[in-house]
Amino acid sequence: MNMLAPVAPPEVFALLPDAAVAKFLGRGIQSGLELPPQVALARACVPYDSRTAERRRTAPVRELLDEAMRRFADDRSAADGWLAPRLHATLRLTRAEAADSRLWNHLAMVVAPDYVVWRHRGPDTADGRGIATAARFSGIHYTQAFSRLWWAAELFRDGDDYDPVVTACRNQDVLNTTLRLDVIDHRPTVQAMIRVIGGFLDAGVARPGDHVNAFSAAVNAAGSTLVYDVLAEDVDPDADELLQWIEAGSDAVVGWERLPEGPSDGRVKPAAVDALIPLFEQLRVEAPLRKRKSAREGEAVSVPAPRAPGVVLSKPSDYL
């Protein structure tokens, strides 16, 4: 893949409004044949205050992305499971900070547009060179190239343990579908789902993405009549521990060969997860799969039924 070499990024992150991305993002940038206009984008940015800027250094994130592109040159999607926990542990944010799309816009357009193209550029066609869609540069949290990874790590981690994040990223449909569900605001539900998904991925089921989607839809639909936080009680994470972990981030070194440790803000009680496993195993077995025609071979294959609308459960915390 021939792409222009990125320019040296600024030393610290800034906040780039959605409107600025929409104004300057074009097919040339999306295909990797042009670099974003750095001067114009810099003018549109809103700087962080001096105290926040101290823990918003771009160099550690840039080094991490360069390493991911080197390691996974032959399997781009495999980079997600390696990168998600390390990005989360490097760029330490509260959920409120991570909900600000302007940070992710800056990362995608100013700091690492080459990574967005490398990871998400589609195949070339007769009509021209493949592109990374606009939503990968600036989009909703489960679509944007970097926010999807940060939120996957945040929502699938079990306190300081990132192992469930790695399991979640083994199949792209977990990020594409499961990450969107309202039920994953309930931490025991998340961990029970990941345990079940990890089980059938380990078993080598055929068309695992279809099973992930069907199972996720079934859990979400059941949540409209079953209250998971009654079946499996959770406690709020420890916000003080999270803040201490964030403050320590400027001195932390995130290793490349072993998983980092997340914030020690509390793991899910094993009994709460165990209480949901039998129900979720039943939902997995009974999750409906509909038939579709393969355009290439005309054969019927199994795909998940349409996803049920999300249901809002009581959240453990949208703290900070």
Side-chain angles (χ1 to χ4, degrees):
M1 182 189 304
N2 296 319
M3 295 189 299
L4 294 177
V7 298
E11 291 187 4
V12 298
F13 283 101
L15 302 172
L16 181 63
D18 295 345
V21 180
K23 179 178 180 180
F24 294 109
L25 182 62
R27 191 176 184 88
I29 297 171
Q30 292 173 257
S31 64
L33 297 177
E34 298 176 11
L35 292 175
Q38 299 298 301
V39 174
L41 291 172
R43 290 173 180 162
C45 286
V46 178
Y48 282 107
D49 62 76
S50 58
R51 184 174 183 277
T52 304
E54 285 298 316
R55 56 183 179 89
R56 290 288 188 277
R57 300 290 175 180
T58 61
V61 175
R62 182 67 246 192
E63 292 171 3
L64 191 63
L65 298 177
D66 287 338
E67 178 65 12
M69 288 189 284
R70 184 191 70 80
R71 286 185 176 229
F72 300 97
D74 297 326
D75 189 358
R76 294 176 295 166
S77 64
D80 290 351
W82 184 87
L83 182 56
R86 291 169 175 84
L87 178 64
H88 186 272
T90 300
L91 194 55
R92 301 188 179 191
L93 308 167
T94 67
R95 289 190 178 188
E97 290 171 329
D100 190 338
S101 64
R102 297 177 299 170
L103 169 61
W104 307 115
N105 293 344
H106 188 262
L107 178 50
M109 288 291 286
V110 178
V111 177
D114 57 317
Y115 186 89
V116 181
V117 175
W118 174 83
R119 172 63 183 86
H120 293 291
R121 188 176 78 90
D124 297 339
T125 67
D127 295 327
R129 183 179 171 91
I131 64 170
T133 63
R136 298 300 188 183
F137 290 88
S138 179
I140 198 165
H141 72 279
Y142 52 72
T143 301
Q144 203 270 354
F146 301 110
S147 66
R148 68 194 282 269
L149 299 178
W150 192 95
W151 281 104
E154 173 66 11
L155 293 171
F156 292 128
R157 68 180 174 89
D158 186 10
D160 59 355
D161 182 12
Y162 285 119
D163 279 320
V165 181
V166 177
T167 300
C169 292
R170 286 172 58 188
N171 186 276
Q172 286 297 299
D173 288 278
V174 177
L175 299 185
N176 295 336
T177 300
T178 313
L179 189 60
R180 306 183 183 199
L181 304 180
D182 293 315
V183 292
I184 67 169
D185 287 320
H186 184 238
R187 299 193 307 158
T189 293
V190 173
Q191 296 308 316
M193 290 182 72
I194 292 303
R195 188 189 299 183
V196 172
I197 289 172
F200 65 69
L201 291 179
D202 289 342
V205 296
R207 301 187 181 276
D210 291 350
H211 289 270
V212 167
N213 288 332
F215 170 63
S216 298
V219 171
N220 203 57
S224 62
T225 54
L226 296 171
V227 183
Y228 294 141
D229 52 359
V230 172
L231 295 174
E233 184 179 2
D234 194 17
V235 296
D236 286 349
D238 188 329
D240 290 336
E241 287 289 343
L242 173 66
L243 289 176
Q244 290 178 20
W245 180 78
I246 289 174
E247 290 298 325
S250 58
D251 299 322
V253 176
V254 175
W256 291 349
E257 302 306 328
R258 57 185 298 179
L259 281 176
E261 291 186 0
S264 299
D265 55 356
R267 295 192 181 186
V268 176
K269 294 180 179 179
V273 178
D274 291 341
L276 292 174
I277 292 296
L279 170 62
F280 284 8
E281 286 288 2
Q282 180 181 356
L283 291 174
R284 180 189 69 82
V285 171
E286 297 176 353
L289 297 176
R290 61 183 173 86
K291 298 293 183 180
R292 68 178 174 185
K293 288 287 186 178
S294 168
R296 184 175 60 184
E297 301 178 4
E299 63 182 19
V301 297
S302 296
V303 299
R307 180 169 65 87
V311 55
V312 178
L313 300 177
S314 58
K315 300 180 181 180
S317 178
D318 284 335
Y319 57 93
L320 306 175

